[in-house]
Amino acid sequence: MALSESQSNKQKHVHLFYYPECEDLARNVAAQSSNITLQTIKWRNFDDGFPNIYINNAQDLRGQHVAFLASFSSTGVIFEQLSVIYLLPRLFVASFTLVLPFFPTGSFERMEDEGDVATAFTLSRMLTNIPISRGGPTSLVIYDIHALQLVLLEINNFLLLAKSLVAQQERFYFGDHVLPLFETGIPLLKQRLHQLPDADNIVIAFPDDGAWKRFHKLLDHFATVVCNKVREGDKRIVRLKEGNPAGCHVVIVDDLVQSGGTLIECQKVLAAHGAAKVSAYVTHGVFPKRSWERFTQKDERSEKAFSYFWITDSCPLTVKAIANKAPFEVLSLAGSIADGLQI
């Protein structure tokens, strides 16, 4: 949304750094406001493969508001980004904001047996140790994190382990060095749904109870359908739990997609119960091993399966891979991120 000159003058000016695979999203964020200036980093490697990084114009950042747009798309890119993330707050900046649209280990938060490694907790500890800047703790912006329950506690290894076991590990622990801001992509979906010619015939479907718990309050003015998985022998089968999709354009909503198997099975159930059309929305289109191809195959049945498949640009490698491929559409987080940088 365009800002008036008076509104623009009241906002803080933010210097936005970014990881290379986020460049398109970073440029879209900067285009939202004249108070966001893109800055660059030289990302190089020594001969042994370790990072050789240089932050351009670092001496000019003193007293400035600084942000970094990160993408933890694989374990191989996290270390070099953390090296920058840990340094920027120490350059005498007025404030530091880390934008991590997709928290990649969010679905690995449970320790059901002794010896299970909850890598979600590991990553949250790494982010908790971001140095404090002159302006105070780091602001950490994350979209639609997978965990159902979120609490903020000061790091204490033994206490956290004991409490996480009791709470069944559906929690993330960030210490006092970071201020997590949990945002959602659902407003983008609602805006897009209102633009559809059949906007008055939309029903929201949740593929499981977890998705319902995360999103139903944000979509409570829509009629809803809930599916769930039941065990039949050695198989887990998707069933319709409640609601009526008959004759409606049903939109399946979840936080992320990996292989897409659950969405496909859910679509089949909804179609069997009379849904006129089925679409899908996920905030994070992870799609490892090009699993998005399952939704673009050209046989007659798959063409009719999903009318639309909306994702955000939280996973930039996926965005590039699915560009101009039906049924995919990208809903950009750029405006929301620009707003978050002003908090």
Side-chain angles (χ1 to χ4, degrees):
M1 182 176 67
L3 296 171
S4 67
E5 184 175 349
S6 60
Q7 288 176 312
S8 180
N9 289 336
K10 293 178 181 178
Q11 293 189 325
K12 62 185 180 183
H13 193 98
V14 179
H15 297 265
L16 177 61
F17 293 88
Y18 56 90
Y19 192 61
E21 66 187 49
C22 301
E23 182 173 357
D24 289 344
L25 177 54
R27 292 190 179 280
N28 288 337
V29 172
Q32 305 296 313
S33 170
S34 60
N35 286 308
I36 300 174
T37 300
L38 287 187
Q39 301 291 347
T40 59
I41 296 172
K42 292 180 182 177
W43 302 90
R44 303 163 298 188
N45 292 93
F46 292 107
D47 291 340
D48 60 5
F50 277 88
N52 176 17
I53 305 168
Y54 182 80
I55 299 174
N56 294 314
N57 303 315
Q59 70 278 2
D60 298 330
L61 298 177
R62 293 183 178 183
Q64 302 297 312
H65 300 285
V66 174
F68 182 79
L69 177 59
S71 175
F72 290 178
S73 57
S74 69
T75 56
V77 301
I78 294 177
F79 176 73
E80 58 187 347
Q81 290 181 78
L82 282 177
S83 300
V84 171
I85 291 166
Y86 283 7
L87 177 60
L88 286 173
R90 298 177 63 88
L91 296 177
F92 296 95
V93 300
S95 69
F96 179 62
T97 300
L98 171 61
V99 182
L100 181 63
F102 175 47
F103 190 92
T105 59
S107 57
F108 307 105
E109 83 280 17
R110 290 183 175 87
M111 291 184 290
E112 296 177 351
D113 297 310
E114 189 72 24
D116 285 341
V117 179
T119 54
F121 176 49
T122 305
L123 183 54
S124 66
R125 291 182 67 186
M126 294 165 71
L127 297 178
T128 288
N129 284 287
I130 298 172
I132 293 177
S133 70
R134 284 180 58 191
T138 292
S139 297
L140 172 60
V141 182
I142 300 175
Y143 284 82
D144 290 320
I145 196 166
H146 184 76
L148 296 178
Q149 303 176 53
L150 301 163
V151 294
L152 310 179
L153 294 176
E154 187 173 352
I155 288 297
N156 180 312
N157 295 348
F158 298 105
L159 177 62
L160 288 184
L161 177 59
K163 286 197 173 184
S164 62
L165 287 170
V166 172
Q168 297 182 347
Q169 297 75 51
E170 289 182 341
R171 297 180 177 181
F172 287 83
Y173 297 89
F174 294 96
D176 291 339
H177 286 190
V178 294
L179 298 174
L181 176 63
F182 300 109
E183 295 283 16
T184 178
I186 294 298
L188 300 174
L189 171 64
K190 292 166 70 174
Q191 183 180 36
R192 183 67 181 95
L193 293 181
H194 287 309
Q195 297 169 351
L196 297 179
D198 56 355
D200 295 333
N201 194 36
I202 298 293
V203 168
I204 300 297
F206 301 107
D208 52 39
D209 289 331
W212 178 85
K213 291 177 182 177
R214 292 182 190 96
F215 296 122
H216 79 278
K217 291 184 179 179
L218 299 173
L219 296 161
D220 58 1
H221 62 290
F222 289 97
T224 59
V225 169
V226 181
C227 298
N228 66 354
K229 292 180 181 178
V230 296
R231 186 174 295 280
E232 292 187 359
D234 295 332
K235 297 181 179 179
R236 290 177 65 85
I237 308 297
V238 175
R239 300 292 190 198
L240 184 65
K241 179 181 178 182
E242 60 184 70
N244 181 16
C248 298
H249 181 179
V250 184
V251 180
I252 307 170
V253 174
D254 209 350
D255 58 336
L256 61 85
V257 59
Q258 297 267 1
S259 70
T262 297
L263 292 180
I264 290 172
E265 293 305 312
C266 191
Q267 182 276 331
K268 292 177 181 178
V269 170
L270 294 169
H273 283 80
K277 293 193 292 186
V278 178
S279 296
Y281 165 85
V282 297
T283 303
H284 310 297
V286 184
F287 289 121
K289 299 180 180 179
R290 297 176 62 88
S291 56
W292 53 265
E293 291 179 340
R294 302 177 68 177
F295 298 89
T296 61
Q297 295 170 1
K298 296 303 181 182
D299 64 83
E300 180 180 353
R301 187 171 60 180
S302 66
E303 282 191 78
K304 296 180 180 178
F306 287 89
S307 298
Y308 300 93
F309 198 131
W310 294 290
I311 65 173
T312 76
D313 41 7
S314 67
C315 299
L317 298 182
T318 297
V319 170
K320 291 180 180 179
I322 58 91
N324 302 315
K325 292 181 174 64
F328 290 104
E329 287 187 10
V330 177
L331 308 178
S332 182
L333 296 171
S336 176
I337 292 172
D339 291 341
L341 294 180
Q342 293 298 325
I343 296 176

